[in-house]
Amino acid sequence: MLSQEQNDALTRAGAGTLLGDLFRRYWIPALHDWELPEPDCAPVRVKLLGEALVAFRDTEGSIGLIDEFCAHRGVSLWFGRNEECGLRCAYHGWKYDVTGQCVDLPSEGENGPLRKRIKLKSYPCIELGGVIWAYMGPAELKPEPPALEWAHVAPERRYASKRLQECNYLQAMEGGIDSSHVSFLHSGQLRTDPLFKGAKGNVYNEADKMPHFEVVEFEGGLLVGARRNADNERYYWRITPWIMPWYTIIPPRGNHPLGAHAWVPIDDEHCWAWSINYHPARALSESELAAMKSGAGIHVQYVPGTFIPRQNKQNNYLIDRSAQKAGTHYSGVEGIAMQDASLQESMGPIQDRMREHLCPTDRGIVMARRRLLQAAEANRAGKPIPGLDPAEQRVRSCSIELPRDQEFKEHARHGLFAPLGTDPVSV
Ligand code: FES
Ligand SMILES: [Fe+2]
């Protein structure tokens, strides 16, 4: 349970808020690189941390991420003409370059005084791992590019999708930290989904619905270990890293690719759920890619031409009560991602955490909240914050069987902090 004040602090991401200022210290996944496929292509609306922006790739290939609205009379530059190294407003032709500087103000003529004064806010961007990342914080504090493993594997080893989730980022992210729901909500899907089925770990997962949680801090975040009984007097550990400020990595199953998430606030009542499958040591197979593109595993099908899931709030996520009764889908909703999203959206746009009753399996969630608040306070006080150093982001999930007397933080270390290009440790 949280106080109203804590819940407000943790769930608000706008400029000037406690967490909003923290989030602005990190590189933020903003859009797929293919959303801006070529110079002078169509601009894209981008809303992040409550700020309405527009992204464009100029004639020279540079990316601009600037205020969505024209400084003249507030028209959306999404309607603009992307031409000759700038985005020109469709209303009266004011034109802006990738830094937001007004470079042409036709009504004033060449070298007028007003044009020089007009500059929209703009944020620097980088392209890495198929994603365009934005930095929205103070220029002098810009960190190194992200070192998350999925952003550094070869393109053929990775598949990334994103979907709109109609709720606050925190309740979505907390679903990524809480792996105790897997034994219930996803139980039917574990047996059938092509990207999950067949692993020995699934048997342990289903047999022991009372995992014991152990949460260990590391520099960049938390290692959330879920322990279940395994054969031969051993324990089966599934270890989910949570990396500041909003990344989670699902523990692997068999030789399936790893699944990673980023839970990025669009505004306080919507977030982007980025879902990335990657295998650190091999290319994804054609059948895996086909499954991902068809919406299996952690991916979804879309309303055509959008990032809105085909199963959504308006159609009750196409819930199938007979599948619920038969147990093929525990909740009756099809697909891992929408099983999660449907329940998380059902909590309301921002979960009221004054009314929750946490239990021992929620330990990871409690600690992640605490880490976020501590980091945000440190940031406000001008002190160092965790997870900015690339070395603190280079962690991956693992699943492992260990003798009962061995602690995961020591004996699973080789699986969590592994060199790039090595096989995952997985059961
Ligand atoms: S509103 Fe954009 S040029 Fe007038
Ligand atoms: Fe889930």
Side-chain angles (χ1 to χ4, degrees), residues 30-45:
L31 61 171
H32 291 292
D33 58 1
W34 52 259
E35 292 181 74
L36 296 177
E38 64 201 12
D40 290 338
C41 60
V44 177
R45 289 189 194 93

Side-chain angles (χ1 to χ4, degrees), residues 70 72-75 89 91-94:
C70 180
H72 179 209
R73 276 168 46 211
V75 159
C89 179
Y91 213 7
H92 315 94
W94 291 24

Side-chain angles (χ1 to χ4, degrees), residues 167-401:
C167 70
N168 185 262
Y169 85 98
L170 185 63
Q171 65 215 53
M173 185 177 84
E174 289 180 348
I177 295 171
D178 150 39
S179 73
S180 71
H181 73 271
V182 176
S183 301
F184 299 90
L185 179 61
H186 304 314
S187 54
Q189 215 83 37
L190 287 185
R191 276 173 256 142
T192 54
D193 191 289
L195 296 165
F196 285 77
K197 67 181 184 186
K200 173 77 182 169
N202 297 353
V203 179
Y204 297 147
N205 234 115
E206 286 208 60
D208 186 351
K209 294 193 193 309
M210 287 273 293
H212 169 79
F213 274 76
E214 272 181 38
V215 190
V216 174
E217 301 204 30
F218 77 105
E219 295 76 4
L222 300 172
L223 303 169
V224 183
R227 191 190 78 191
R228 290 178 172 85
N229 294 322
D231 298 341
N232 306 318
E233 295 298 300
R234 291 157 83 89
Y235 283 136
Y236 168 61
W237 285 94
R238 295 182 56 75
I239 304 155
T240 304
W242 168 74
I243 309 164
M244 287 284 291
W246 49 46
Y247 301 98
T248 49
I249 310 177
I250 304 169
R253 298 177 186 278
N255 193 32
H256 292 302
L258 273 60
H261 287 293
W263 311 97
V264 181
I266 295 172
D267 55 29
D268 293 347
E269 300 190 350
H270 301 83
C271 65
W272 286 122
W274 285 85
S275 302
I276 304 104
N277 274 125
Y278 74 103
H279 199 293
R282 65 163 173 85
L284 303 180
S285 70
E286 274 185 31
S287 63
E288 285 170 339
L289 276 171
M292 292 166 195
K293 287 177 186 165
S294 74
I298 54 177
H299 307 282
V300 296
Q301 293 176 3
Y302 296 100
V303 174
T306 74
F307 293 108
I308 300 167
R310 185 176 71 90
Q311 304 157 261
N312 57 53
K313 216 190 305 198
Q314 274 63 44
N315 56 29
N316 281 325
Y317 311 92
L318 305 175
I319 192 168
D320 177 348
R321 295 288 178 181
S322 58
Q324 186 185 58
K325 268 217 163 73
T328 44
H329 307 318
Y330 190 78
S331 73
V333 171
E334 159 111 52
I336 306 259
M338 292 318 298
Q339 286 161 2
D340 286 323
S342 55
L343 301 193
Q344 291 157 6
E345 291 181 2
S346 79
M347 297 162 158
I350 304 178
Q351 188 202 341
D352 178 358
R353 291 180 177 76
M354 266 74 65
R355 294 172 57 198
E356 67 185 4
H357 298 83
L358 298 181
C359 65
T361 57
D362 297 317
R363 201 169 293 152
I365 291 173
V366 172
M367 288 179 68
R369 293 175 185 174
R370 192 182 309 149
R371 284 292 293 270
L372 279 173
L373 285 174
Q374 282 169 350
E377 297 287 359
N379 180 48
R380 189 143 281 185
K383 295 187 184 140
I385 57 169
L388 283 183
D389 180 345
E392 296 176 7
Q393 302 163 5
R394 189 52 70 69
V395 57
R396 65 161 79 138
S397 57
C398 78
S399 58
I400 189 168
E401 283 185 49

Side-chain angles (χ1 to χ4, degrees), residues 33-236:
D33 58 1
W34 52 259
E35 292 181 74
L36 296 177
E38 64 201 12
D40 290 338
C41 60
V44 177
R45 289 189 194 93
V46 177
K47 195 170 187 191
L48 288 174
L49 310 185
E51 297 188 38
L53 306 165
V54 64
F56 65 104
R57 196 186 288 274
D58 79 3
T59 313
E60 278 159 11
S62 301
I63 294 170
L65 181 63
I66 64 174
D67 196 330
E68 182 185 340
F69 304 105
C70 180
H72 179 209
R73 276 168 46 211
V75 159
S76 172
L77 293 168
W78 179 78
F79 291 93
R81 304 170 58 90
N82 186 7
E83 57 190 18
E84 292 161 354
C85 278
L87 191 57
R88 190 183 289 282
C89 179
Y91 213 7
H92 315 94
W94 291 24
K95 182 179 171 184
Y96 305 90
D97 70 12
V98 293
T99 71
Q101 178 63 50
C102 183
V103 290
D104 192 14
L105 201 156
S107 62
E108 190 182 58
E110 290 275 305
N111 292 320
L114 183 58
R115 182 195 69 73
K116 291 191 195 122
R117 275 199 289 119
I118 298 291
K119 189 166 197 270
L120 296 176
K121 81 177 162 194
S122 73
Y123 296 118
C125 293
I126 51 171
E127 290 183 73
L128 179 69
V131 171
I132 297 171
W133 306 71
Y135 176 68
M136 298 169 68
E140 68 280 10
L141 296 175
K142 192 166 81 177
E144 296 285 304
L148 300 154
E149 187 176 45
W150 59 259
H152 289 268
V153 297
E156 65 273 16
R157 297 182 180 185
R158 173 183 58 235
Y159 178 78
S161 71
K162 71 171 181 183
R163 62 178 164 78
L164 177 73
Q165 183 154 334
E166 296 182 62
C167 70
N168 185 262
Y169 85 98
L170 185 63
Q171 65 215 53
M173 185 177 84
E174 289 180 348
I177 295 171
D178 150 39
S179 73
S180 71
H181 73 271
V182 176
S183 301
F184 299 90
L185 179 61
H186 304 314
S187 54
Q189 215 83 37
L190 287 185
R191 276 173 256 142
T192 54
D193 191 289
L195 296 165
F196 285 77
K197 67 181 184 186
K200 173 77 182 169
N202 297 353
V203 179
Y204 297 147
N205 234 115
E206 286 208 60
D208 186 351
K209 294 193 193 309
M210 287 273 293
H212 169 79
F213 274 76
E214 272 181 38
V215 190
V216 174
E217 301 204 30
F218 77 105
E219 295 76 4
L222 300 172
L223 303 169
V224 183
R227 191 190 78 191
R228 290 178 172 85
N229 294 322
D231 298 341
N232 306 318
E233 295 298 300
R234 291 157 83 89
Y235 283 136
Y236 168 61

